[in-house]
DNA sequence: TAGAATAACAACCTATAGGCTGTTATTATG
DNA sequence: CATAATAACAGCCTATAGGTTGTTATTCTA
């Protein structure tokens, strides 16, 4: 399932959704991160302000991967969304 | 073109690549962001430390979108990578 | 090889991310 | 409705993100 981020406001509800799908409370997820529930709550309430590093850790726990989608070359292979193309770099 | 981020170290070279593909120098991109070349250079040298907000701005200029890919539900529709499914939230 | 353009490094400052504890809503559920 | 679980808010502190200017490599090309 892919969720394209068009605006920063979208991240928050998506994050909460992912956490719930994983059946985790803020406290449970915070424990996995090694921080307090209150600290995690702060992150979840404004994920745009978090560092990539921090979001990445959370997403790893939730089984979610970050992807960068180049819109410039989008049109060339409309249906060829091969697994990973980062090897080209 | 999709670039899945498996490790934080991947972001830096991908970022530089996107900038070059767009034919921009650090100075040129910095100007679009309204900051100095040196400030942008700091961001580019350690993008993991940047906030989502900041990276998002850079990616917008470079014509790159952020995507969250749920690995949990990955197997259900292997080939149905429909455009955007965030409306389901 | 000189000069221009580009990228990187250093020192410095201010705002805020990232953490804590304590308390207060807000949902569940027995 | 009482209580437990969950989520949110407040105040506080320290580390660092995000910005500046000045300087120094590093490419590139006439």
């Amino acid at each position: 399932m892919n969720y394209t981020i068009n605006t920063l406001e979208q991240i928050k509800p998506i994050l909460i959704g992912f956490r719930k799908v994983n059946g985790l409370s803020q406290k449970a997820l915070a424990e996995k991160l090694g921080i307090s529930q209150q600290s995690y709550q702060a992150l979840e309430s404004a994920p745009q302000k978090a560092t990539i590093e921090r979001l990445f850790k959370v997403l790893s726990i939730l089984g979610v991967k970050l992807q960068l989608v180049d819109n410039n070359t989008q049109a060339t292979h409309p249906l060829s969304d091969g697994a990973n193309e980062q090897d080209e770099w």
Side-chain angles (χ1 to χ4, degrees), chain A residues 14-88:
Chain A
I14 291 175
L15 239 195
I16 295 175
F18 277 135
R19 176 168 59 78
K20 301 224 160 144
V21 161
N22 279 264
L24 295 170
S25 64
Q26 289 187 344
K27 195 185 169 206
L29 182 45
E31 269 165 16
K32 283 174 182 286
L33 288 165
I35 62 177
S36 68
Q37 173 269 318
Q38 294 93 323
S39 289
Y40 176 75
Q41 194 272 324
L43 191 178
E44 196 177 81
S45 76
Q48 332 89 32
K49 305 292 185 181
T51 58
I52 314 297
E53 217 166 28
R54 194 120 172 288
L55 183 68
F56 196 78
K57 277 183 199 163
V58 175
L59 293 179
S60 300
I61 291 174
L62 297 177
V64 178
K65 286 222 164 130
L66 253 180
Q67 214 167 33
L68 299 180
V69 182
D70 188 356
N71 290 280
N72 305 305
T73 52
Q74 201 179 33
T76 32
H77 303 280
L79 297 173
S80 79
D81 184 38
N84 295 334
E85 290 155 3
Q86 70 273 44
D87 291 333
E88 298 183 10

